[in-house]
Amino acid sequence: MSFVKIKSAGIWGVDGFEVDVEVDVSAGLPSFNIVGLPDAAIKESKERVRSAIKNCGYAFPQRRITVNLSPSDLRKQGTLYDLPIAVGLLTLGGYLPQESLEDMVILGELSLDGEVRKVSGVLPIVLSMKEKGYRRFLIPTGNALEGAVVEGASIYGADRLEEVVSFLRGESEIKPVSLDIDSYLSKRSSLDIDLGEVLGQSLVKKALEISAAGAHNLSMVGAPGSGKSMLAKRITTILPPMSFDEMVEVSKIYSVAGLIEESLITERPFRSPHHTASEVALIGGGSSPSPGEVSLAHRGVLFLDELPEFSRRALEVLRQPLEDGYVNIARAQGRVRFPARFTLITAQNPCPCGNYGNPFKECTCTRNQIRAYNTKVSQPLKDRIDMRVWVEPVEKEELLKGRKGESSREVRERVLKAYEIQRGRFRDSGTDFNGRMTNREVEEFCIKLMSDEARKLLRSAMDKFRLSGRGYFRTLKVARTIADLEGSEGIEDSHIAQALQLRVDEA
């Protein structure tokens, strides 16, 4: 026997695709070639595989070796083909029976001494290959819990190449890894921060509550040290929980990015990239497209601190995912779509020196400097932000009193009630939060349920504040969430008034 085919898989975007690792050993001068559009990491696997086989005590064939990764028209990337290539060579060397490889998907990286190391993208691979009818997966132990998330898949975790050989020869047993999902999900991580630790700032806290309940984008403007970053980080303590399907969605992205530690991402993500981040770092991409910060924030929060300090190009790429909930990246090999449905929270100073509007310090900026600073963020991007609040510095009396406000637990109870109302409202549609309602849903769940006083107030505000069409709809969405938090079926003038207060308070 001089030819063997090992079943493996690859990653394109956040989905897996089937790959046949074809290994051929023939007469000729000793050589080792890998074809089928491999990247640099795969080309280097020749030396890892050679050393691993020798250092585990097996003979490496001194013949002409050709490995083809099929289909050959799709680029392969990563180190996950080390193990299937080694298994193929050992099978041709007579160490493994070929029948033991039937219907077995194999992937993993090898160290020089034969250790089977963790790889990226296992969860989407197992999901995709299971849909194609495969049920048995031989993968690194470090990825076993991640793969075990997929119901109906038998996941065998291996630590070393010798262990793989012994298992495939039937000399030892590797028990399939099981994961008790309910027990795992009950271990909700306890956060060491709380909204009640923030003194004062009642209006901003209310805005955070509305943002968490309805997935509304929020901008905070205030002097340095007024607590903008501290407040933003605490939104994680009041966000509603993710459903299991949402956890799998998010975990697929983190698996591709190599950021999963165990099996599932169970908490809504909170991403806070530095203002020097490029547009590729934010939106994703590269020669082999990988998810950016907007995708890593999927189903969670993307926090941009010092918003005007981000490059104009980096900020402009946010407009499409904010509107559509996904990112399209076109490459020569094809188009990749990364999910990116997140809530945007931003923070910025009101001016270059940061003291404009500060009652305790004098602003040293000219009017032109303030205008230039605030126009760094384009109006189309500002129009996609539902609420904009001013964060005042906390007065010393409040600091000295040290009186805490509502805890995250108390606020989260209201958020959860509003979330359940929305789940019932949108159960027959693809919408999940008020902040993502379509115009038709705004008509049905907002406009039709407004009181006459609310209509009158909103009409007056449109004239006074010159609200754009997008601003009009976003005001209604915020008012809908405020009404849900109060348990009101209709939208009253008080709800419109609060929504307007949280929208037109410009720096």
Side-chain angles (χ1 to χ4, degrees):
M1 180 174 64
S2 63
F3 172 82
V4 69
K5 184 186 296 184
I6 311 296
K7 189 63 65 178
S8 191
I11 285 291
W12 183 250
V14 290
D15 296 308
F17 63 91
E18 188 175 346
V19 173
D20 288 327
V21 180
E22 301 172 339
V23 183
D24 177 81
V25 176
S26 58
L29 291 174
S31 62
F32 195 163
N33 296 303
I34 300 178
V35 297
L37 286 183
D39 70 353
I42 297 174
K43 291 177 182 177
E44 291 172 354
S45 70
K46 294 182 291 187
E47 303 308 320
R48 293 192 296 272
V49 170
R50 188 195 311 271
S51 296
I53 288 177
K54 286 183 175 181
N55 290 329
C56 289
Y58 307 112
F60 188 83
Q62 297 300 315
R63 304 176 70 187
R64 179 183 175 126
I65 300 170
T66 304
V67 175
N68 179 43
L69 306 178
S70 176
S72 299
D73 60 339
L74 287 178
R75 179 163 291 279
K76 323 300 185 307
Q77 58 182 348
T79 57
L80 68 168
Y81 302 108
D82 291 5
L83 186 57
I85 291 173
V87 167
L89 290 172
L90 291 172
T91 301
L92 295 178
Y95 293 101
L96 296 173
Q98 189 168 0
E99 57 269 18
S100 67
L101 307 176
E102 293 179 6
D103 300 323
M104 174 79 78
V105 178
I106 302 175
L107 48 97
E109 178 185 338
L110 287 174
S111 69
L112 299 185
D113 66 348
E115 179 188 356
V116 181
R117 290 179 172 170
K118 188 176 179 180
V119 293
S120 302
V122 166
L123 179 57
I125 283 174
V126 174
L127 284 166
S128 298
M129 294 299 283
K130 181 176 175 288
E131 289 178 358
K132 295 180 182 295
Y134 295 95
R135 295 290 184 273
R136 300 167 69 228
F137 298 83
L138 181 57
I139 64 176
T141 299
N143 295 113
L145 285 176
E146 180 183 343
V149 168
V150 183
E151 188 177 355
S154 297
I155 306 297
Y156 302 94
D159 290 308
R160 295 194 55 78
L161 182 58
E162 303 99 310
E163 186 181 352
V164 171
V165 172
S166 179
F167 169 65
L168 293 177
R169 292 177 66 171
E171 297 173 351
S172 64
E173 181 184 8
I174 298 178
K175 293 184 177 179
V177 176
S178 60
L179 179 66
D180 185 345
I181 296 293
D182 293 334
S183 174
Y184 184 83
L185 297 182
S186 66
K187 299 176 183 177
R188 184 181 174 89
S189 61
S190 57
L191 300 172
D192 56 358
I193 56 176
D194 195 279
L195 196 60
E197 297 167 347
V198 182
L199 304 178
Q201 308 293 8
S202 58
L203 180 63
V204 190
K205 288 180 181 178
K206 185 63 179 178
L208 283 173
E209 180 181 340
I210 296 168
S211 176
H216 298 286
N217 302 324
L218 168 65
S219 174
M220 295 182 287
V221 184
S226 56
K228 301 185 295 295
S229 299
M230 183 182 185
L231 283 157
K233 291 173 182 175
R234 278 154 178 76
I235 195 173
T236 58
T237 65
I238 61 173
L239 290 171
M242 289 193 289
S243 67
F244 180 74
D245 288 343
E246 288 175 330
M247 291 179 192
V248 172
E249 273 185 62
V250 174
S251 297
K252 283 174 63 176
I253 299 168
Y254 276 69
S255 177
V256 171
L259 298 176
I260 282 190
E261 294 183 5
E262 288 188 353
S263 61
L264 270 180
I265 303 295
T266 58
E267 306 288 341
R268 292 191 182 272
F270 180 88
R271 302 293 299 183
S272 180
H274 192 261
H275 61 76
T276 56
S278 66
E279 58 265 34
V280 173
L282 283 177
I283 210 73
S287 56
S288 297
S290 58
E293 291 292 338
V294 297
S295 295
L296 294 172
H298 181 60
R299 301 293 182 187
V301 172
L302 178 66
F303 174 51
L304 301 184
D305 200 3
E306 306 294 346
L307 184 67
E309 301 303 327
F310 283 82
S311 73
R312 184 70 174 252
R313 288 184 62 182
L315 292 179
E316 289 306 297
V317 298
L318 296 176
R319 287 162 56 179
Q320 188 222 342
L322 280 171
E323 204 69 32
D324 300 332
Y326 58 82
V327 173
N328 278 327
I329 298 173
R331 291 293 180 267
Q333 303 96 319
R335 184 180 296 272
V336 177
R337 173 174 289 192
F338 289 119
R341 193 168 293 285
F342 58 90
T343 301
L344 178 65
I345 307 289
T346 71
Q348 68 175 83
N349 297 332
C351 65
C353 79
N355 293 323
Y356 177 79
N358 190 333
F360 309 115
K361 293 183 180 179
E362 183 179 354
C363 176
T364 59
C365 303
T366 65
R367 185 173 296 277
N368 286 338
Q369 286 175 323
I370 296 173
R371 185 182 297 111
Y373 182 77
N374 282 294
T375 54
K376 286 184 177 180
V377 182
S378 69
Q379 191 59 44
L381 181 59
K382 289 180 179 179
D383 282 346
R384 287 167 170 81
I385 295 176
D386 303 344
M387 297 179 288
R388 183 181 174 95
V389 294
W390 187 276
V391 186
E392 296 280 3
V394 181
E395 296 187 3
K396 63 181 179 181
E397 287 76 11
E398 283 195 82
L399 290 172
L400 292 171
K401 287 177 184 176
R403 187 181 300 127
K404 290 187 176 182
E406 284 186 298
S407 67
S408 292
R409 182 187 297 274
E410 294 172 291
V411 177
R412 194 167 187 264
E413 286 179 3
R414 290 196 299 271
V415 169
L416 289 178
K417 288 179 182 177
Y419 176 61
E420 290 302 322
I421 292 172
Q422 291 168 84
R423 287 184 63 184
R425 175 180 298 139
F426 303 123
R427 61 181 175 273
D428 297 325
S429 72
T431 304
D432 50 0
F433 288 96
N434 289 333
R436 295 164 186 156
M437 282 190 284
T438 63
N439 289 352
R440 183 191 61 78
E441 289 169 334
V442 170
E443 173 72 29
E444 182 177 353
F445 300 119
C446 299
I447 297 175
K448 289 182 178 179
L449 298 176
M450 288 174 66
S451 66
D452 292 339
E453 292 78 9
R455 292 178 193 277
K456 191 180 301 182
L457 177 59
L458 184 56
R459 188 177 294 110
S460 173
M462 289 178 68
D463 294 334
K464 182 177 180 180
F465 301 119
R466 297 180 181 178
L467 287 180
S468 64
R470 182 178 280 123
Y472 165 76
F473 281 106
R474 291 190 179 277
T475 300
L476 282 171
K477 293 175 185 180
V478 172
R480 178 68 272 170
T481 299
I482 294 170
D484 289 343
L485 285 166
E486 295 181 4
S488 172
E489 183 178 352
I491 296 179
E492 306 297 333
D493 55 344
S494 61
H495 305 143
I496 295 293
Q498 288 183 66
L500 290 169
Q501 181 188 19
L502 293 168
R503 178 160 187 88
V504 300
D505 189 9
E506 298 283 342

